[in-house]
Amino acid sequence: MGYIKGAFGVKGWVKVQPSTEYTDSLLDYSQWRLVQGNDVMMATLLNGHVANGELHVKFEQIQDRDSAALLRGYTIYIPREQFAEPDENEFYWTDLMGMQVHNRDNACLGEVINIMETGAHDVLVVKGEFGEKLIPFVSQFIDDVNELTQTITVDWGVDY
């Protein structure tokens, strides 16, 4: 969901680089899982705001700049049980990652290894036997997303 860029101020605030659609989306979640290597900690969000396009947050457990500075580089995860249910035909990127992509001829194009935001629409990055494919995640090309079987069916040729 993002990472901690460093300390902000002297009272334990941190600067966050979110990888969410909206800069302040992470403020909707009260518990954050912070991970760096084998070090994992749960942090309780006390306060937060956006200033000059940058997200600043204060955790209940962090009281000073030195403690905040130690969080630099931690990756932010939100426990799945806190996610809101997506609307019909909407998906969290994390749910699409790793899905197998097949075309209408049942040829396996590969696995979703990344998703790019282009502004107009999201694009699946699929890697497999036929190389890397960039498939727009729009109804014109996406026939079905089956979360149960972890497959996506697309209208996309192996030679595109």
Side-chain angles (χ1 to χ4, degrees):
M1 304 288 285
Y3 67 92
I4 297 178
K5 293 170 41 174
F8 177 77
V10 295
K11 295 185 179 181
W13 287 71
V14 294
K15 296 181 281 187
V16 172
Q17 178 62 53
S19 54
T20 55
E21 184 174 3
Y22 302 104
T23 303
D24 63 350
S25 292
L26 287 172
L27 298 178
D28 294 339
Y29 304 100
S30 60
Q31 290 289 311
W32 295 15
R33 184 171 179 245
L34 306 178
V35 178
Q36 186 176 52
N38 292 329
D39 193 16
V40 178
M41 68 177 281
M42 292 301 292
T44 302
L45 183 66
L46 189 61
N47 202 344
H49 61 269
V50 176
N52 297 322
E54 186 172 72
L55 183 61
H56 299 162
V57 300
K58 174 79 170 96
F59 297 119
E60 189 175 278
Q61 299 87 338
I62 306 299
Q63 301 305 317
D64 58 55
R65 182 176 181 82
D66 292 340
S67 298
L70 294 174
L71 296 178
R72 184 172 191 253
Y74 274 74
T75 302
I76 301 163
Y77 295 90
I78 302 299
R80 181 60 190 228
E81 58 271 9
Q82 289 190 50
F83 285 18
E85 283 298 315
D87 292 334
E88 187 175 343
N89 293 320
E90 287 188 349
F91 304 92
Y92 286 110
W93 282 13
T94 188
D95 294 336
L96 300 175
M97 297 296 292
M99 283 192 174
Q100 293 296 309
V101 179
H102 298 264
N103 68 12
R104 290 178 175 174
D105 296 327
N106 206 28
C108 182
L109 301 179
E111 174 182 324
V112 178
I113 62 166
N114 198 4
I115 302 170
M116 299 185 322
E117 184 178 356
T118 65
H121 53 266
D122 297 333
V123 175
L124 300 177
V125 180
V126 178
K127 189 169 187 173
E129 172 184 351
F130 302 103
E132 191 170 280
K133 309 276 184 210
L134 301 177
I135 304 172
F137 196 70
V138 294
S139 60
Q140 179 182 354
F141 301 112
I142 305 297
D143 291 339
D144 182 57
V145 176
N146 188 322
E147 292 180 274
L148 188 61
T149 62
Q150 292 288 288
T151 58
I152 301 173
T153 305
V154 298
D155 182 12
W156 202 261
V158 296
D159 57 346
Y160 292 3

